[in-house]
Amino acid sequence: MSNTDQRPLLLVVATGMRLYREYLLRSISAEYRVHLFLTAEPDWEKEYVSGWTVLPSTTDGPAMAAAAAEIHAGTPFSGVLCWDEVRIHATAFVARALGLRNGDPDVIWRLRDKGGTRAALKASGVPQPESIPVKTVDEAVAAAAEVGYPAILKPRGLGASLGVVKVHDEDEVRANFAFTEAARGPEPVVFDTDQPILVEEFVSGEEISVDSVVRDGVVTPLFVGRKVVGYHPYAEEIGHFVDASDPLLTDDVLLDVAQRTHKALGFTDGITHAEYMLTAEGPKVIEVNGRLGGDMIPYLGLLATGVDPGLVAAGAATGGAVDVAHAHDRVAGIRFFYVEEEDTTLGSLAFDSAKLPEGIDRVVTVAQPGAVVSPPPKGTVWGRIAFAIATGASRDEVAARLDAADAALDVTSA
């Protein structure tokens, strides 16, 4: 590390897939020196970092804390940052050991464990669906009868709507319980094995996400994501829209619920990605995650507003300056694409550039030829084969451009 470089030193734990997270590291590296903790030698990341440490695990919080303390003794870190859901709890151990912000593992675990989130919010009277943790299918049947039909089955500790399904009666609870119970994320995290499933009251309305910066307990929303959900009764997130002029950014009722939610959870510093259902009775909390949103939602926010989520997250982690002023007033959207038939072996997939309209920011093929893919429910999240991102002056204009990208995607089976 250069002794003449006076930029703050930020420890980033893991990076995630280049496809989805490079833009964050690129932005941060412009104003911070970045040291990475990874489990393998960095590749594309080298362009953006001043150093790295390869560790046996990035989910072992105490071990990472010890490794960070050795570096910190000679070259102090100004902050610790992680946007990977599986690793945010371990990262809190590092922050605590170094005396930095967002350093309370108990708070982060309260967000990671959706049952813990529900209990904390209930104790503080924050509006949310009724939720009952269960272990067996018979317990689920009894819980569903208590919360009423339709009901929601969801795993206690997964994201991206993995394993979430809507059920309308006892038969559907019994038919779908195994689906929810078997849902797994990319890496195993052990939650309460006595009650690993939540049975929740179904609340209707529009589901949104809000990425916020929290500083000394004050919640400031950065951007609102309007979800597009498909493949019912499964809650597959097939797209999102972010509007720089979304009225919810200044909605007093939503802002009050957000503030009360973070206070109830004890989250005082950092970035959160929270999901709410806008019901006829007002917004109700679905979940809160102690990190930036996935699905490229922060990137949509950058395109729509000009607010840089990477720099805001770094500022929140270090206590440095945070710029949340809008530089743009646009709408940005993303749409994910899937095959139609289960267990499709991909032959080829590509976008015809001649068919892409103006306003397309990028089109990306995710799956590779030869891969065997399925639409939801078998291919939930991991069944996505491509995505497109577009900008425009309105949601309708962006949607039309995403429709054109859909038409431009040519997929063949082997």
Side-chain angles (χ1 to χ4, degrees):
M1 298 179 187
S2 170
N3 293 327
T4 61
D5 191 341
Q6 298 302 308
R7 293 176 301 162
L9 179 61
L10 180 68
L11 174 60
V12 175
V13 177
T15 58
M17 292 177 63
R18 181 178 191 177
L19 189 64
Y20 293 105
R21 294 304 198 182
E22 182 177 13
Y23 73 97
L24 295 171
L25 205 57
R26 181 188 300 116
S27 292
I28 292 170
S29 68
E31 297 189 16
Y32 294 81
R33 291 174 294 150
V34 177
H35 188 96
L36 293 181
F37 273 6
L38 311 96
T39 57
E41 188 85 359
D43 179 16
W44 59 269
E45 299 98 336
K46 288 182 179 179
E47 177 183 353
Y48 306 112
V49 304
S50 57
W52 62 84
T53 302
V54 176
L55 299 171
S57 170
T58 49
T59 58
D60 185 337
M64 282 204 302
E70 289 187 16
I71 301 171
H72 188 70
T75 312
F77 291 109
S78 296
V80 184
L81 179 61
C82 180
W83 46 71
D84 185 296
E85 178 72 8
V86 175
R87 292 168 175 80
I88 57 173
H89 182 243
T91 300
F93 285 87
V94 180
R96 181 175 67 181
L98 304 186
L100 299 172
R101 291 172 178 262
N102 206 15
D104 190 336
D106 289 341
V107 170
I108 302 303
W109 190 253
R110 194 175 298 132
L111 274 62
R112 291 282 287 120
D113 175 8
K114 292 178 172 60
T117 299
R118 289 288 185 231
L121 297 184
K122 183 176 182 179
S124 295
V126 176
Q128 63 174 339
E130 184 178 354
S131 178
I132 301 175
V134 301
K135 181 176 183 178
T136 69
V137 65
D138 287 336
E139 290 177 0
V141 168
E146 183 172 341
V147 302
Y149 289 105
I152 298 293
L153 304 182
K154 65 191 298 184
R156 186 164 184 146
L158 296 181
S161 298
L162 290 169
V164 177
V165 60
K166 180 181 178 181
V167 292
H168 296 84
D169 54 36
E170 178 179 338
D171 289 343
E172 290 191 7
V173 173
R174 295 188 181 279
N176 287 281
F177 186 82
F179 166 78
T180 301
E181 189 176 41
R184 296 290 183 272
E187 298 184 54
V189 178
V190 177
F191 289 86
D192 186 344
T193 53
D194 289 333
Q195 296 176 312
I197 306 298
L198 299 179
V199 178
E200 299 197 336
E201 172 193 8
F202 172 75
V203 289
S204 61
E206 181 183 7
E207 189 173 1
I208 64 164
S209 64
V210 182
D211 282 46
S212 299
V213 58
V214 187
R215 309 197 73 181
D216 298 321
V218 178
V219 181
T220 302
L222 302 175
F223 24 78
V224 173
R226 302 274 183 165
K227 288 189 181 187
V228 183
V229 179
Y231 295 97
H232 302 287
Y234 310 98
E236 179 75 358
E237 297 173 18
I238 62 174
H240 307 270
F241 291 94
V242 174
D243 184 344
S245 297
D246 197 309
L248 290 176
L249 288 169
T250 54
D251 183 87
D252 289 340
V253 175
L254 179 60
L255 294 179
D256 177 65
V257 171
Q259 188 67 54
R260 291 165 56 199
T261 294
H262 288 76
K263 182 178 180 180
L265 295 173
F267 192 99
T268 60
D269 288 281
I271 294 288
T272 61
H273 174 77
E275 300 180 358
Y276 304 87
M277 189 70 76
L278 304 180
T279 75
E281 295 79 33
K284 294 188 177 182
V285 181
I286 301 301
E287 63 181 56
V288 184
N289 304 283
R291 54 166 174 79
L292 286 165
D295 275 2
M296 299 293 283
I297 296 172
Y299 182 69
L300 299 182
L302 174 62
L303 292 177
T305 69
V307 175
D308 192 308
L311 291 178
V312 172
T318 61
V322 169
D323 185 0
V324 299
H326 286 197
H328 307 313
D329 186 8
R330 298 189 291 223
V331 178
I334 187 170
R335 183 177 300 173
F336 299 100
F337 304 111
Y338 307 77
V339 295
E340 294 182 359
E341 301 294 333
E342 190 172 298
D343 295 330
T344 295
T345 301
L346 292 176
S348 64
L349 68 162
F351 288 91
D352 184 345
S353 59
K355 296 180 180 179
L356 294 175
E358 64 173 337
I360 293 292
D361 177 78
R362 64 184 61 187
V363 289
V364 179
T365 54
V366 178
Q368 300 297 318
V372 179
V373 292
S374 299
K378 186 174 182 178
T380 299
V381 177
W382 318 123
R384 296 167 175 172
I385 61 171
F387 66 82
I389 294 176
T391 61
S394 68
R395 175 165 173 165
D396 287 344
E397 183 175 60
V398 173
R401 290 170 174 173
L402 294 174
D403 287 342
D406 190 358
L409 179 59
D410 183 33
V411 181
T412 64
S413 58

